[in-house]
Amino acid sequence: MDATSAPTVRRYDLPEPDAFTRPYWEAAAEGRLLLRRCRACGGAHHYPREFCPHCWSEDVTWEPATGRAALYTWSVVHRNDLPPFGDRVPYVAAVVDLAEGPRMMTELVDTPEPSAGLELEVAFRAGVPVFRPATRRDGSR
């Protein structure tokens, strides 16, 4: 590195796709949420794995998720020294119950007052799924 080049700052908010998770991250980059479903027992799961955590079958496939969820729990993060999180504090780290059944760790956005059971919908920030309050039929959140 010479004096004119800036050091590379490692980012901790971007995925490192591998051959197995690439379909998930490619779909997310297109604004689609995928999860895995077992063809043997029918169970859905998230995070993506090559086997079913319910029955251990390897007969699992990708399927589109609805993007609907309910807030299970959350924590407001006021300090995080890893780049770029320090520029985002405070932010809401959350666990949501996907409509298909699995729980998912994520970030909650556009939610001034989180509450358990809050209806949510997926949104995407730089190809990473985050959740926000669901849009109601009247167009409000």
Side-chain angles (χ1 to χ4, degrees), residues 24-59:
Y24 177 84
W25 294 114
E26 287 175 351
E30 297 169 359
R32 297 180 299 118
L33 181 63
L34 296 180
L35 48 81
R36 301 285 279 174
R37 182 158 313 266
C38 178
R39 291 183 215 179
C41 74
H45 62 273
H46 186 82
Y47 65 92
R49 286 165 270 199
E50 295 184 55
F51 63 90
C52 175
H54 307 289
C55 73
W56 301 97
S57 171
E58 293 180 2
D59 189 9

Side-chain angles (χ1 to χ4, degrees), residues 52-74:
C52 175
H54 307 289
C55 73
W56 301 97
S57 171
E58 293 180 2
D59 189 9
V60 292
T61 188
W62 295 104
E63 78 172 31
T66 63
R68 307 297 277 183
L71 183 57
Y72 176 71
T73 191
W74 70 95

